[in-house]
C-alpha cells in the first residue's frame, strides 16, 4: 500500500478532543534510531551530491578522523584562548559539561522565559548583572526550581547566561566535525546561462544542504539547536522593538555555536565573514531547516515498505525518466502505464474491426445498399485498409456525418473525426477476404446469377453481421470506459 494507517481507540474522554499529530518524518526518525548506519550513509551520500568534500573532510564529517581545525597547529596561545580553556575546566552539572537531555531541560527554562520578553532593547547584546547571573547559574547546576517570572532576574541576565552556557560547551553546538561542511555550504552560489559561477547565493541548495547536515547532528545538539534558532528567529521578527536583526544576532552567537573552540578571530581570518553570514542565513530560514527533504522521506518510507531503497535523490529522479519503467515503484505510475496500454489495445482492435467491416462491405453483391455503405466509408478514409482506395461517385456534402464508422470513432477513440474528400477513381483491392465472405460466395455462386430472394437473404446476413460487430465493439468500449 502507498500509506500505513494506524487506528488507536482511546477510552479517555479527556484526550479525545486533542488534535491528532501527524509526523511526516516518521519513517526518517524510525530509520535514524533503528538503523543509524544506513541512515548516515543515505544522508551523507546526498550531502556530497551538493557540496564537494575531499577525502579528509569527508572522513572528518563521518567521524573517521579527528577534525583539523584552524588554530590547532598554531604555537601562539593568546589570553583569550587560555581564559576560555580555564573556564571549561570548571565543569558543573549543566554548565561546562557535554550536552545532555538533562542540561537541555534546564536551559529550556531560559529559552521559554526569553520568548516572553523579546521586546527588551539590545537583547543578547547588553550584558546583564554578573551577580544575578551567578545566582541563576548555580541554581541551574544544582537543579533547584527557579521562578524566572518572579521579577528577580532581568531578561538581559537570562540572555547573557544562555550565551555563557553555549560558550562553555566542550565543542560548539554544530560540532567540530561539521565545521568544513558549513564553509562549503556558504560557498554555494548560482550559475549563469553559460554555466559560470556567480556571486549570488543559491538559497535552495543551501537550505537543502543544511537540512541534510542537521539530520546527522547528535540528537541533543539537534534538539537544542532547534530551540535556539526558533528563539533567534522570533527575536529578529521584533527587531523594531529590540533593535536586534538576524545579522546582529549572528554576530553574538556564531562564536558559540559554529566557531571551533579555543580559536580567535585572527585564526579564522577570511572565513569569519563567511561563518557569520552562515549563521544569519540559519536564523532567517530556521523554520525550514528541521524538515527532512522530500526524497529522504521517500527513501525511508520505501525502506520500511519493502520496496527497493534508493540512496540518493538522483536515484529517485530516475523514476520519472521514460527509459526506466522497471524502477518505478509507485502505483500511480503503474496505473497510468496500464491505462495507456489498454487504450492502445482498444484503439488497435477498433481499427482492425473497421478494416474487417470495410472488406465485408466491399465483397457484398452490387446493390444500392452496398453503394450507400461505400459512400459512407469514403467520408472516413482513415478506417480503410492500408493502401486501398474506394471507388464511388462523389457524395453530396453533409454538415454532419451520421455514418456507422464515424460513430465508432467518436465513441471508441474519443477524438474528432476530420472529414476529407479523396479521389475515388481506383478500384479497391482488399488484402484478404474474410472467412465468412468466402463461405457465402462459394455457397451462393456468382453475384450475376443470384436470384432476387438469395440476394435479399445475403444482404440480410450481411446486415446481421454488421449488427453483431457493432454490438461487440460497443460492449468492448463500455467495458474499457
Amino acid at each position: 500500500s502507498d500509506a500505513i494507517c494506524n487506528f488507536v481507540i482511546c477510552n479517555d474522554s479527556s484526550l479525545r478532543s486533542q488534535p491528532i499529530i501527524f509526523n511526516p518524518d516518521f519513517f526518517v526518525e524510525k530509520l535514524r534510531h533503528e538503523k543509524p548506519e544506513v541512515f548516515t550513509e543515505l544522508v551523507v551520500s546526498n550531502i556530497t551530491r551538493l557540496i564537494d568534500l575531499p577525502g579528509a573532510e569527508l572522513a572528518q564529517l563521518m567521524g573517521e578522523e579527528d577534525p583539523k581545525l584552524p588554530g590547532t597547529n598554531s604555537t601562539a596561545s593568546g589570553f583569550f584562548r587560555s581564559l576560555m580553556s580555564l573556564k571549561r575546566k570548571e565543569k558543573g552539572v549543566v554548565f561546562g559539561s557535554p550536552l545532555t537531555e538533562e542540561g537541555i531541560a534546564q536551559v529550556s527554562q531560559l529559552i521559554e522565559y526569553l520568548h516572553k520578553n523579546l521586546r527588551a532593547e539590545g537583547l543578547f547584546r547588553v550584558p546583564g548583572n554578573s551577580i544575578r547571573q551567578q545566582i541563576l547559574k548555580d541554581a541551574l547546576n544544582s537543579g533547584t526550581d527557579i521562578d524566572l517570572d518572579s521579577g528577580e532576574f532581568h531578561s538581559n541576565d537570562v540572555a547573557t547566561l544562555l550565551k555563557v552556557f553555549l560558550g562553555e560547551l566542550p565543542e560548539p553546538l554544530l560540532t567540530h566535525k561539521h565545521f568544513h561542511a558549513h564553509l562549503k555550504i556558504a560557498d554555494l552560489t548560482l550559475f549563469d546561462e553559460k554555466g559560470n559561477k556567480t556571486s549570488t547565493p543559491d538559497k535552495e541548495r543551501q537550505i537543502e544542504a543544511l537540512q541534510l547536515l542537521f539530520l546527522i547532528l547528535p540528537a541533543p545538539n539537534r534538539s537544542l539547536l532547534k530551540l535556539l534558532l526558533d528563539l533567534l528567529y522570533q527575536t529578529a521578527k521584533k527587531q523594531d522593538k529590540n533593535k536586534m536583526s538576524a545579522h546582529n544576532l549572528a554576530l553574538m552567537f556564531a562564536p558559540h555555536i559554529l566557531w571551533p573552540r579555543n580559536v580567535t578571530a585572527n585564526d579564522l581570518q577570511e572565513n569569519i565573514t563567511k561563518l557569520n553570514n552562515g549563521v544569519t542565513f540559519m536564523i532567517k530560514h530556521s523554520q525550514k531547516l528541521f524538515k527532512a527533504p522530500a526524497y529522504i522521506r521517500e527513501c525511508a518510507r520505501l525502506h520500511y515498505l519493502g520496496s527497493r531503497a534508493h540512496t540518493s535523490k538522483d536515484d529517485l529522479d530516475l523514476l520519472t525518466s521514460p527509459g526506466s519503467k522497471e524502477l518505478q515503484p509507485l502505483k500511480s505510475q503503474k496505473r497510468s502505464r496500464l491505462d495507456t496500454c489498454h487504450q492502445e489495445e482498444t484503439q488497435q482492435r477498433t481499427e482492425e474491426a473497421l478494416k474487417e467491416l470495410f472488406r465485408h462491405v466491399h465483397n457484398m453483391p452490387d446493390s444500392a445498399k452496398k453503394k450507400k455503405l461505400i459512400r459512407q466509408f469514403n467520408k472516413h478514409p482513415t478506417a480503410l485498409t492500408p493502401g486501398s482506395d474506394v471507388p464511388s461517385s462523389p457524395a453530396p456534402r453533409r454538415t454532419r456525418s451520421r455514418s456507422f464508422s464515424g460513430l465508432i470513432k467518436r465513441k471508441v477513440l474519443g477524438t474528432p473525426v476530420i472529414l476529407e474528400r479523396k479521389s475515388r477513381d481506383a478500384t479497391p483491392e482488399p488484402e484478404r477476404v474474410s472467412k465468412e465472405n468466402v463461405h457465402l460466395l462459394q455457397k451462393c455462386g456468382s453475384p450475376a446469377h443470384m436470384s432476387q430472394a438469395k440476394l435479399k437473404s445475403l444482404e440480410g446476413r450481411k446486415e446481421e453481421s454488421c449488427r453483431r460487430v457493432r454490438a461487440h465493439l460497443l460492449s468492448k468500449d463500455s467495458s474499457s470506459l
Side-chain angles (χ1 to χ4, degrees):
S1 61
D2 291 339
I4 293 180
C5 297
N6 293 325
F7 294 90
V8 180
I9 301 176
C10 181
N11 295 322
D12 189 348
S13 58
S14 63
L15 297 177
R16 290 177 184 174
S17 61
Q18 298 298 322
I20 299 175
I21 300 175
F22 171 70
N23 181 13
D25 290 345
F26 170 77
F27 288 109
V28 177
E29 296 301 325
K30 182 178 175 67
L31 187 63
R32 180 212 302 271
H33 292 291
E34 295 183 358
K35 299 181 180 180
E37 294 181 358
V38 175
F39 176 80
T40 302
E41 182 180 356
L42 170 65
V43 175
V44 172
S45 65
N46 283 280
I47 291 176
T48 55
R49 178 177 53 83
L50 295 171
I51 58 178
D52 180 25
L53 290 175
E57 294 181 1
L58 180 60
Q60 294 171 26
L61 179 64
M62 298 289 290
E64 299 171 356
E65 293 184 7
D66 293 333
K68 296 180 180 179
L69 305 170
T72 54
N73 297 327
S74 175
T75 56
S77 56
F79 172 77
F80 174 78
R81 186 175 302 154
S82 301
L83 178 62
M84 294 304 295
S85 299
L86 290 173
K87 281 187 176 181
R88 292 190 188 95
K89 288 182 180 180
E90 301 174 0
K91 294 182 180 180
V93 178
V94 177
F95 289 79
S97 299
L99 194 58
T100 61
E101 295 296 339
E102 181 185 358
I104 295 176
Q106 291 290 81
V107 173
S108 63
Q109 299 178 73
L110 307 181
I111 295 176
E112 289 176 7
Y113 172 80
L114 290 173
H115 268 291
K116 304 173 186 177
N117 298 271
L118 296 177
R119 296 175 178 271
E121 185 172 346
L123 191 65
F124 296 111
R125 184 180 71 243
V126 178
N129 183 276
S130 58
I131 297 177
R132 293 195 299 262
Q133 290 176 33
Q134 188 62 45
I135 295 173
L136 183 56
K137 182 178 180 179
D138 294 338
L140 291 173
N141 268 330
S142 61
T144 306
D145 292 336
I146 307 170
D147 184 11
L148 294 175
D149 294 325
S150 62
E152 181 181 356
F153 304 99
H154 191 272
S155 56
N156 288 334
D157 303 332
V158 178
T160 303
L161 192 61
L162 178 60
K163 290 194 299 180
V164 171
F165 169 79
L166 295 171
E168 292 186 2
L169 289 174
E171 68 173 347
L173 191 59
L174 293 172
T175 72
H176 287 139
K177 295 190 301 183
H178 292 193
F179 176 74
H180 292 291
H182 282 286
L183 291 179
K184 295 295 178 67
I185 291 174
D187 288 332
L188 291 176
T189 56
L190 295 173
F191 294 87
D192 58 18
E193 297 178 354
K194 298 181 180 179
N196 299 320
K197 199 171 184 180
T198 66
S199 58
T200 306
D202 190 343
K203 295 182 180 180
E204 295 300 322
R205 279 202 301 162
Q206 288 179 336
I207 290 174
E208 182 182 349
L210 288 172
Q211 287 176 333
L212 293 169
L213 204 58
F214 288 177
L215 282 175
I216 56 175
L217 276 174
N221 295 60
R222 191 168 188 265
S223 298
L224 181 56
L225 180 65
K226 188 177 187 307
L227 294 174
L228 177 65
L229 288 182
D230 186 59
L231 172 65
L232 299 182
Y233 173 79
Q234 298 297 334
T235 304
K237 285 181 65 175
K238 291 185 170 54
Q239 59 179 314
D240 57 328
K241 302 293 182 182
N242 55 42
K243 311 303 180 184
M244 295 298 292
S245 64
H247 181 69
N248 292 337
L249 293 169
L251 295 178
M252 300 291 105
F253 281 89
H256 303 303
I257 67 175
L258 186 55
W259 288 18
R261 291 291 181 249
N262 301 332
V263 300
T264 63
N266 187 48
D267 295 327
L268 297 175
Q269 296 179 354
E270 73 274 5
N271 288 331
I272 189 170
T273 301
K274 190 183 298 184
L275 296 173
N276 292 337
N277 291 339
V279 177
T280 304
F281 186 85
M282 293 180 203
I283 296 173
K284 290 182 177 180
H285 299 88
S286 62
Q287 307 306 301
K288 302 178 182 179
L289 301 182
F290 295 92
K291 302 174 183 178
Y295 55 88
I296 295 293
R297 296 179 186 174
E298 184 65 13
C299 287
R301 187 183 71 88
L302 292 176
H303 181 86
Y304 282 102
L305 293 183
S307 302
R308 178 177 176 180
H310 305 278
T311 59
S312 167
K313 181 177 182 294
D314 298 331
D315 295 335
L316 287 177
D317 289 340
L318 290 175
L319 299 179
T320 59
S321 64
S324 60
K325 294 182 179 179
E326 68 279 1
L327 296 179
Q328 298 181 3
L330 301 181
K331 284 191 174 182
S332 59
Q333 295 171 340
K334 291 182 179 178
R335 292 193 196 102
S336 62
R337 200 162 59 241
L338 291 174
D339 292 341
T340 302
C341 294
H342 184 69
Q343 291 176 0
E344 293 176 355
E345 182 181 359
T346 303
Q347 182 176 355
Q348 183 179 1
R349 289 179 179 177
T350 304
E351 291 176 353
E352 291 176 357
L354 289 173
K355 292 175 183 178
E356 185 69 20
L357 184 61
F358 165 76
R359 287 190 287 268
H360 183 81
V361 172
H362 176 71
N363 290 318
M364 290 173 59
D366 293 334
S367 63
K369 180 72 173 178
K370 177 180 177 180
K371 292 181 180 180
K372 182 179 180 181
L373 292 174
I374 289 178
R375 284 198 300 270
Q376 291 175 347
F377 269 105
N378 285 338
K379 295 179 181 181
H380 309 287
T382 56
L384 302 181
T385 305
S388 63
D389 294 325
V390 177
S392 177
S393 57
R397 181 176 300 177
R398 298 181 183 179
T399 58
R400 180 180 178 184
S401 173
R402 300 180 182 274
S403 65
F404 174 54
S405 62
L407 175 63
I408 293 177
K409 285 203 165 194
R410 286 192 296 272
K411 294 292 184 181
V412 177
L413 300 181
T415 56
V417 180
I418 302 175
L419 301 179
E420 298 179 359
R421 298 180 60 88
K422 281 192 174 276
S423 174
R424 305 175 178 85
D425 297 333
T427 302
E429 295 180 3
E431 292 180 356
R432 64 180 180 87
V433 181
S434 66
K435 183 178 180 181
E436 182 182 357
N437 291 336
V438 173
H439 176 70
L440 291 175
L441 288 175
Q442 289 175 351
K443 183 177 178 180
C444 300
S446 176
H449 298 86
M450 289 182 183
S451 63
Q452 189 68 22
K454 289 184 178 181
L455 186 57
K456 290 182 179 180
S457 176
L458 182 58
E459 290 181 357
R461 291 186 181 183
K462 298 302 181 182
E463 291 177 355
E464 180 64 22
S465 299
C466 292
R467 193 156 40 248
R468 287 200 303 268
V469 172
R470 191 160 53 237
H472 175 72
L473 291 175
L474 292 177
S475 64
K476 288 288 185 182
D477 295 345
S478 61
S479 64
S480 65
L481 293 175

